[in-house]
Amino acid sequence: MGLDAKSTIEAGKAVLGIEFGSTRIKAVLVDGENKPIASGSHEWENQLENGIWTYSLDAIWAGLQDCYRDMSDDVKKKYGVEVESLAAIGFSAMMHGYMAFNKDDELLVPFRTWRNTITGQASEELSELFQYHIPQRWSIAHLYQAILNGEDHVSDIAFVSTLAVYIHWKMTGCKVAGVGEASGMFPIDIETKDYNARMMAQFEELAASKGFSQKLSDIFPKVLLAGEDAGTLTEEGAKLLDVSGKLKAGIPICPPEGDAGTGMAATNSVAVRTGNVSAGTSVFAMLVLEKDLKKPHEEIDLVTTPDGNLVAMVHCNNCTSDLNAWVGLFKEFAEAFGVEVDMNKLFGTLYNKALEGDKDCGGLLAYNYFSGEHVTGFDEGRPLFVRTPNSKFNLANFMRVNLYTSLGALKVGLDILLKEEDVKIDRVTGHGGLFKTKGVGQSILAAAMNTPISVMETAGEGGAWGIALLASYMVNRKDGESLDVFLNENVFNGDEGTQMAPDAADVAGFDVFTERYKAGLAIERAAVESLK
């Protein structure tokens, strides 16, 4: 492999993907078969400044340069060569948020990230106006809230961007967004694969009545589909990315995408009737739809795949944090007896114990709400464990209820899609920490969704690999080859991972638990109100 990888890099045929996550910037270099051959990373954290979650421009550029340098060092160490040219590059980042620039390309206010919940009024008014759910974190909600607040900077806006769009613009000079990224800024019309024209006109009329006269088409990035020409690396961009000066300009760069789109690419779930569930500290499910939903749902966000298919997204803030806290308690218990604990073995043992439990968890109830949960209507959360005197309280049921509840809010949202909206799904891929113990998280998710769940070895490569695949698609696809066909034939080669079908008794048990979960939300609300 070393030789192949080395000659690929020397020939300038490798493809680079870089993704800005919330806590880590990651770079993945892939070979001609789209397999990772080198990587780099940079740890970073957002700052809370004047009540706004942000990252400074200095932190963004220092982070990108350090991540690229780390990847270059990895290449040098493994293969003894320098990266001088590449076949293609892609940049992605956490979606949504707000970066506003004036005509001199100066940032007008600090970058407002997706984490901010300061646009409640805008979100409500726009959702009502469009009859389409506009989450607080979307760029249009941030822009409209700034207009409502009468913020001084609004009159100077010449360009509104997300983080991925900003990086791409500085690398290429092109103000463009991949359609998936754009779908987290403003609703997309699935027929035109562009911003929804009716809603744009509605917004402009509303904004004009508040004194904001700019047209969205003038200040928002142009929408591009996966594979379309999005510009090349400029001399300035090359110097910004590689401070050593070795990287040459002229490299094609694919449309910038959000972390939702790169997650779909990395799990081979861009085709209609496929989906993926990412389950770690938070959890989200993305299902690629055959048609529009019958009506808007506050619990469901609509975005798109990188090639413009409609995707329903259920996003929940809480997943494994409370589960991990309980496992930590068992570790402490074991250590109190002088037992040395291997955490992998502890997780494996406790997770597998859950499979011995009653299908409905024996009447136990738990909430994993470290923070609020939008899907069930909570601004704050209190982790909670509740049982009746006659519940079957044993270790297996205790572990099972904590696994069920890690997907509890997600299940409430998914039931809207799968039961009310009758969305059809053929294959779902699970990725993230919940699936590390073989077969356990997978069987629990299969029960929650009543759908076969696949887990892939490669899913752990994450979004940086996903954006590298989108860059590779742009330069390596055959004429007219769709993104899902390219991924199937050139990346996954028919590998669907390890699939597990739902067990009917588990499905019935999870449904019983879900009714208990919904009925008990009043207990959670009382805990939030009583425990300040």
Side-chain angles (χ1 to χ4, degrees), residues 113-127:
T113 77
W114 65 273
R115 274 192 76 173
N116 291 289
T117 48
I118 51 175
T119 62
Q121 185 188 352
S123 163
E124 271 179 46
E125 288 187 19
L126 293 177
S127 297

Side-chain angles (χ1 to χ4, degrees), residues 202-234:
Q202 286 176 305
F203 178 83
E204 285 162 4
E205 190 183 333
L206 176 66
S209 73
K210 307 265 192 287
F212 183 79
S213 56
Q214 281 104 311
K215 295 268 176 277
L216 286 183
S217 52
D218 295 336
I219 61 171
F220 266 32
K222 181 175 187 286
V223 180
L224 296 177
L225 301 181
E228 291 190 331
D229 176 17
T232 55
L233 185 65
T234 60

Side-chain angles (χ1 to χ4, degrees), residues 317-466:
N317 294 332
N318 303 284
C319 185
T320 58
S321 297
D322 197 37
L323 194 52
N324 294 346
W326 284 113
V327 174
L329 190 74
F330 288 118
K331 172 179 184 268
E332 228 180 293
F333 170 76
E335 285 173 346
F337 277 92
V339 178
E340 190 73 19
V341 180
D342 173 327
M343 286 310 284
N344 283 335
K345 192 175 176 191
L346 183 61
F347 269 102
T349 303
L350 290 171
Y351 272 39
N352 278 300
K353 191 74 188 165
L355 299 182
E356 299 169 20
D358 293 307
K359 302 297 189 187
D360 71 341
C361 311
L364 307 183
L365 178 60
Y367 293 98
N368 61 339
Y369 292 9
F370 266 63
S371 62
E373 201 53 87
H374 166 73
V375 171
T376 47
F378 285 84
D379 293 328
E380 292 178 61
R382 301 289 180 269
L384 200 61
F385 172 70
V386 192
R387 62 189 172 107
T388 63
N390 57 358
S391 299
K392 287 193 202 157
F393 185 44
N394 56 38
L395 182 59
N397 282 340
F398 180 77
M399 285 312 298
R400 194 175 185 100
V401 79
N402 280 295
L403 277 162
Y404 273 19
T405 203
S406 65
L407 301 173
L410 185 78
K411 165 82 169 154
V412 172
L414 285 171
D415 279 354
I416 293 169
L417 292 172
L418 302 174
K419 294 180 179 177
E420 284 181 43
E421 289 279 354
D422 201 27
V423 170
K424 296 283 182 268
I425 292 292
D426 299 327
R427 181 174 60 81
V428 173
T429 302
H431 53 114
L434 186 71
F435 304 103
K436 272 193 178 147
T437 300
K438 207 173 164 68
V440 181
Q442 193 176 1
S443 71
I444 302 285
L445 180 61
M449 294 186 72
N450 194 13
T451 303
I453 305 296
S454 298
V455 175
M456 290 182 191
E457 296 295 322
T458 50
E461 297 292 348
W465 185 53

Side-chain angles (χ1 to χ4, degrees), residues 246-298:
K246 295 187 181 82
L247 189 66
K248 297 185 177 77
I251 299 164
I253 303 186
C254 74
E257 266 301 346
D259 48 2
T262 61
M264 290 181 233
T267 54
N268 196 19
S269 43
V270 299
V272 166
R273 292 176 69 127
T274 66
N276 78 89
V277 173
S278 170
T281 308
S282 64
V283 61
F284 60 84
M286 317 204 64
L287 308 182
V288 188
L289 305 177
E290 294 176 278
K291 56 181 191 296
D292 259 323
L293 298 180
K294 296 184 202 107
K295 62 173 194 183
H297 300 271
E298 205 188 320

